[in-house]
Amino acid sequence: MANFLLAAVLLLFGSLTAAKTVTYDFNVGWVTANPDGLAERKVVGINGQWPLPVIEVDKGDRLVVNMYNGLGDKNASIHFHGMYQTDTSNMDGPSMVTQCPIGPGSSFTYNFTVNQNGTYWYHCHTDFCYPDGYRQALIVHDRDAYFNDDYEEEFTVTISDWYHDFVEDIRFLSLYNPTGAEPVPNSFLLNDTQHSSLRVKPNTTYLIRLINIGAFVSQFFYIEDHTFKIVEIDGIYTEPTEADTLYISVAQRYSILLTTKNSTDKNYPIVTVADSDLLDVISPDLQLNNTNWLEYNADAAHAQAVMTVDASSEIVPFDDITLVPHDHMELLPEPDFEINVTVIMGNLRNGFGYAFLNDITYTAPKVPTLYTVMSSSGMATNADIYGDYTHPMVLQKNDVVQLVLNNADGGSHPFHLHGHNFQVIDRQPPYGEHFYDFVDGDPVAFDPNNHSAFPAFPARRDTFVLPPQGYYVIRFVADNPGVWMFHCHIDWHLAQGLAMTLIEAPLEIQQRHQIPQQHYDVCRAAGVPFVGNAAADTFDLTDLSGQNTQVAPLPGGFTARGIVALVFSCISAFLGMGFITVYGLSEPKVSKRNLTSSPGDEVSSENEAVPSASVEPKHAAAATSQG
Ligand SMILES: *[C@@H]1O[C@H](CO)[C@@H](O)[C@H](O)[C@H]1NC(C)=O
Ligand SMILES: *[C@@H]1O[C@H](CO)[C@@H](O)[C@H](O)[C@H]1NC(C)=O
Ligand SMILES: *[C@@H]1O[C@H](CO)[C@@H](O)[C@H](O)[C@H]1NC(C)=O
Ligand SMILES: *[C@@H]1O[C@H](CO)[C@@H](O)[C@H](O)[C@H]1NC(C)=O
Ligand SMILES: *[C@@H]1O[C@H](CO)[C@@H](O)[C@H](O)[C@H]1NC(C)=O
Ligand SMILES: *[C@@H]1O[C@H](CO)[C@@H](O)[C@H](O)[C@H]1NC(C)=O
Ligand SMILES: *[C@@H]1O[C@H](CO)[C@@H](O)[C@H](O)[C@H]1NC(C)=O
Ligand SMILES: *[C@@H]1O[C@H](CO)[C@@H](O)[C@H](O)[C@H]1NC(C)=O
Ligand SMILES: *[C@@H]1O[C@H](CO)[C@@H](O)[C@H](O)[C@H]1NC(C)=O
Ligand SMILES: [Cu+2]
């Protein structure tokens, strides 16, 4: 039990619909853990424990999480991923969007009602903090789920990538990494461990809730010689749909019904395979595919999975865009408001690799955006006051919003929308023979006059994968006043600025939100202003001088290639000839990244891909630093 306290107060005894308050006290502090058996490290624990407690509530409950930041040296917060936070946008968690960072020694109470069902998770949403272990499942039980009579027991299974270093010690946004190559994880976990056995009984149906709580890498999932039925994605019940292999990006969830076999003579590998297309370098000792077991018989053999394909790209998973929501919600009508943005990776003048939506790399404002809403009266509908680099969009209540997300990058990006689920109405390319095998052509943008027919009952979820060089189109109704981020859930890309801010019905936010005094106390303690526009100007809200800005573009004529060469010569000057030798000898790797120059006019039109060798300095540097 430790100090962990779960107080459940039944307000109405005996009633099936009794909503109760579920309270968790989270004393957040460092503990040590070694989940892959390869390296003991400090991780973010709660009440002295890691893995962290799974939050469990019933539909309709009020959830209260009293968080104390006992980390000593790190800011923190909690985002309850997938929670709509109706009228409680201030409980959503992302620092500088809906709250201030909770500094060491500060407390913050999250308090909201959960009027939704299914499989969710919670994670830290301040700087880099969740890959250090601050993430876990959040389950909303639903007495009325249509499949409740179809299973006997349930399991929650998380999967994730795992790093041995502290995220802030990994030099990512730096001159040493001009291409923005994502740090490659050291291992992959299932339920925060490896080689585990899930004990099952024969001839029994289980509900298995799968959640990728990782920071970066999508994983394929299958169980040898078993099929299952998908019944939920990201909190949305689907028509029961037979599948045998899933592709689960970070932040995505699936619930599946699995019926076990009648005989107990064998155990079956539960196989997870990391999507190696996402990884720039794969060291020989990185175990991409991992075996855990569906254990029918503890005394029988626990054999390693036998791979039937050579590479993860040959695995063909179930295509989630084809799933039909159980409620058969129809395609939303033509949009009242359109957002059209393109993902671009590029460099700015400091030589670092950034990520852009059109020409903006998200840069946090001086005042959390929600607090700008709360302190700007009638001016709140003017997008300008939220600053140029938060990429703000002001949405009108109940507008049908269509968001077109094009990808000029050669990597895939699982984008997540806070405060909503959305209909996925188009996505290109389709899943092919080779999964997302689309890297050789030019990027293809959505063409409103030439697209595939939109589904009658589109799949809905809160995190959907944008394929390399393709696009996706989503729709949702702006019926949830609040400030909501739309961002890539790869934590490295979020740090590179792959995010924008939706300010939904701001005047209603002002009417309906009550922000507890404690939230402003947290700001005071962290030294963060909480009134005024994005520049913390309370006098003239349209005056953004002094706002936080993104780094200036590369000088005219400079290409990504140029900055890479410049950086490379700096690094070589710094590290000397030994480094050159390592670099010179390293095998050139053809980068999948179609790294464009930085966006904006000042940049040369020479949008050539970075030469293959240019991705190497970081890897060579990593190799030398690891001895
Ligand atoms: C916490 O956030 C505040 C405000 O952004 C910042 O000044 C401070 O340095 C941060 N503290 C730590 C330990 O990162
Ligand atoms: C949570 O919010 C409700 C509604 O505003 C309030 O009645 C209750 O006192 C709050 N609980 C805590 C622990 O802050
Ligand atoms: C939750 O599930 C119930 C059925 O069990 C359904 O009526 C309701 O619409 C669901 N809520 C949401 C927000 O999806
Ligand atoms: C996975 O881990 C969580 C948290 O430790 C636990 O509640 C759950 O039962 C585990 N799942 C299985 C299948 O063991
Ligand atoms: C499996 O379970 C069903 C009922 O759940 C039962 O009718 C059937 O006989 C069982 N089969 C075996 C082989 O145990
Ligand atoms: C288990 O046996 C029952 C009959 O007893 C049959 O209907 C069912 O298909 C069998 N299950 C499997 C997974 O073979
Ligand atoms: C499984 O992992 C090994 C070593 O990590 C790798 O050589 C092999 O290609 C992988 N198989 C798949 C299907 O990814
Ligand atoms: C969206 O923006 C892209 C890139 O700027 C452009 O190619 C495309 O035509 C635009 N689409 C629409 C529907 O405006
Ligand atoms: C419409 O799109 C298809 C598929 O991308 C393409 O082959 C075709 O040339 C396009 N037609 C027009 C008229 O642009
Ligand atoms: Cu991304």
Side-chain angles (χ1 to χ4, degrees):
M1 265 298 276
N3 310 321
F4 175 69
L5 174 79
L6 164 61
V9 181
L10 272 180
L11 296 178
L12 289 164
F13 273 96
S15 164
L16 277 177
T17 52
K20 58 188 186 306
T21 297
V22 177
T23 303
Y24 289 82
D25 290 331
F26 279 3
N27 183 350
V28 179
W30 295 110
V31 300
T32 57
N34 186 0
D36 57 12
L38 297 173
E40 186 163 272
R41 55 156 295 175
K42 275 194 347 180
V43 301
V44 177
I46 288 177
N47 305 328
Q49 293 189 333
W50 191 93
L52 303 184
V54 174
I55 294 180
E56 292 190 70
V57 298
D58 291 316
K59 179 181 65 181
D61 285 350
R62 174 173 291 281
L63 173 62
V64 174
V65 177
N66 297 306
M67 179 196 144
Y68 168 73
N69 180 357
L71 290 169
D73 55 358
K74 212 169 174 44
N75 292 324
S77 67
I78 307 177
H79 171 55
F80 302 87
H81 185 114
M83 294 285 113
Y84 303 138
Q85 298 290 5
T86 308
D87 291 334
T88 48
S89 183
N90 57 318
M91 301 296 175
D92 195 43
S95 283
M96 302 313 292
V97 181
T98 62
Q99 66 166 90
C100 293
I102 304 165
S106 283
S107 296
F108 192 100
T109 297
Y110 292 94
N111 177 0
F112 55 93
T113 50
V114 182
N115 278 316
Q116 57 195 103
N117 321 299
T119 308
Y120 302 90
W121 62 302
Y122 66 91
H123 62 84
C124 191
H125 212 306
T126 300
D127 309 324
F128 287 120
C129 55
Y130 89 78
D132 285 329
Y134 197 166
R135 75 284 182 285
Q136 184 54 291
L138 188 172
I139 307 300
V140 184
H141 297 285
D142 177 13
R143 290 180 198 90
D144 308 317
Y146 80 88
F147 46 80
N148 273 359
D149 292 337
D150 301 334
Y151 68 90
E152 279 138 89
E153 288 180 36
E154 70 171 81
F155 285 129
T156 297
V157 173
T158 63
I159 57 175
S160 79
D161 41 30
W162 190 246
Y163 293 89
H164 291 162
D165 294 318
F166 284 112
V167 273
E168 67 184 32
D169 290 347
I170 300 174
R171 255 191 309 207
F172 172 58
L173 275 179
S174 98
L175 265 178
Y176 296 92
N177 187 19
T179 63
E182 303 82 4
V184 176
N186 298 95
S187 61
F188 298 93
L189 307 177
L190 185 133
N191 230 29
D192 285 332
T193 182
Q194 291 184 328
H195 317 303
S196 57
S197 296
L198 307 192
R199 300 215 59 173
V200 291
K201 294 181 287 202
N203 196 20
T204 304
T205 300
Y206 293 86
L207 178 73
I208 304 183
R209 300 172 184 274
L210 298 166
I211 314 173
N212 188 335
I213 59 173
F216 170 25
V217 183
S218 303
Q219 298 195 48
F220 297 88
F221 172 98
Y222 62 90
I223 303 174
E224 271 188 12
D225 214 10
H226 285 69
T227 61
F228 42 76
K229 287 194 187 103
I230 301 167
V231 291
E232 180 218 327
I233 45 171
D234 299 357
I236 304 299
Y237 298 150
T238 65
E239 291 294 1
T241 308
E242 188 100 352
D244 53 27
T245 306
L246 302 175
Y247 182 80
I248 315 178
S249 78
V250 291
Q252 287 185 328
R253 293 90 65 204
Y254 282 86
S255 284
I256 58 174
L257 291 176
L258 176 89
T259 301
T260 55
K261 295 184 180 298
N262 289 325
S263 65
T264 58
D265 52 344
K266 239 186 114 188
N267 299 314
Y268 293 84
I270 298 170
V271 188
T272 50
V273 184
D275 178 2
S276 57
D277 275 359
L278 293 168
L279 306 175
D280 272 85
V281 260
I282 299 165
S283 76
D285 54 354
L286 178 63
Q287 193 61 41
L288 293 171
N289 35 65
N290 287 279
T291 302
N292 294 266
W293 291 276
L294 201 60
E295 189 183 74
Y296 286 81
N297 180 345
D299 298 328
H302 293 66
Q304 286 295 316
V306 177
M307 295 282 152
T308 53
V309 294
D310 294 331
S312 66
S313 57
E314 290 170 26
I315 303 174
V316 180
F318 184 85
D319 187 350
D320 57 345
I321 202 170
T322 64
L323 287 168
V324 175
H326 188 253
D327 61 12
H328 280 219
M329 180 179 158
E330 288 176 19
L331 172 68
L332 288 167
E334 286 301 300
D336 304 299
F337 188 78
E338 289 183 67
I339 299 171
N340 177 23
V341 284
T342 300
V343 172
I344 300 169
M345 311 300 270
N347 295 79
L348 293 176
R349 192 167 295 196
N350 58 5
F352 298 6
Y354 287 95
F356 303 80
L357 286 171
N358 296 344
D359 53 355
I360 301 174
T361 178
Y362 177 89
T363 309
K366 287 191 166 162
V367 171
T369 303
L370 177 65
Y371 299 160
T372 296
V373 173
M374 297 309 286
S375 60
S376 58
S377 332
M379 289 290 287
T381 54
N382 180 349
D384 295 346
I385 70 172
Y386 304 107
D388 297 318
Y389 303 100
T390 60
H391 207 151
M393 297 277 167
V394 173
L395 307 181
Q396 307 225 19
K397 183 76 187 294
N398 290 332
D399 268 4
V400 173
V401 179
Q402 173 168 299
L403 194 155
V404 175
L405 185 64
N406 293 311
N407 194 355
D409 177 49
S412 62
H413 300 276
F415 267 79
H416 167 50
L417 176 60
H418 289 221
H420 289 273
N421 63 68
F422 48 76
Q423 292 187 333
V424 185
I425 65 171
D426 199 4
R427 189 271 322 275
Q428 289 293 333
Y431 280 20
E433 176 81 354
H434 287 252
F435 183 66
Y436 286 159
D437 195 5
F438 204 63
V439 286
D440 293 330
D442 289 328
V444 175
F446 174 69
D447 177 353
N449 300 312
N450 181 22
H451 59 76
S452 40
F454 298 148
F457 309 113
R460 299 202 304 281
R461 61 188 319 169
D462 63 42
T463 306
F464 192 66
V465 178
L466 174 67
Q469 296 181 293
Y471 59 81
Y472 76 49
V473 183
I474 61 175
R475 284 186 188 168
F476 61 95
V477 179
D479 56 3
N480 190 14
V483 175
W484 311 117
M485 281 192 113
F486 178 65
H487 67 92
C488 179
H489 217 291
I490 293 179
D491 216 31
W492 307 113
H493 296 173
L494 178 57
Q496 285 177 293
L498 205 45
M500 65 192 298
T501 314
L502 307 185
I503 298 114
E504 191 166 325
L507 300 179
E508 279 203 36
I509 302 177
Q510 291 171 355
Q511 286 161 18
R512 298 164 71 136
H513 271 60
Q514 273 149 16
I515 299 187
Q517 181 56 38
Q518 187 194 26
H519 293 207
Y520 297 126
D521 295 343
V522 162
C523 299
R524 251 184 227 104
V528 176
F530 49 86
V531 285
N533 65 14
D537 194 322
T538 53
F539 192 69
D540 179 0
L541 293 175
T542 59
D543 181 1
L544 272 298
S545 52
Q547 70 176 324
N548 294 335
T549 61
Q550 67 191 44
V551 173
L554 286 170
F558 255 83
T559 59
R561 179 188 200 148
I563 200 81
V564 166
L566 175 76
V567 165
F568 173 48
S569 58
C570 295
I571 295 173
S572 8
F574 185 64
L575 291 179
M577 289 309 290
F579 181 86
I580 292 282
T581 312
V582 174
Y583 171 61
L585 290 177
S586 61
E587 186 85 357
K589 175 176 189 275
V590 178
S591 175
K592 286 207 170 107
R593 286 291 146 119
N594 179 18
L595 185 88
T596 57
S597 310
S598 56
D601 291 336
E602 290 92 327
V603 169
S604 149
S605 58
E606 191 192 347
N607 264 11
E608 62 196 302
V610 167
S612 54
S614 66
V615 295
E616 293 299 322
K618 188 241 167 191
H619 311 139
T624 42
S625 69
Q626 280 160 17

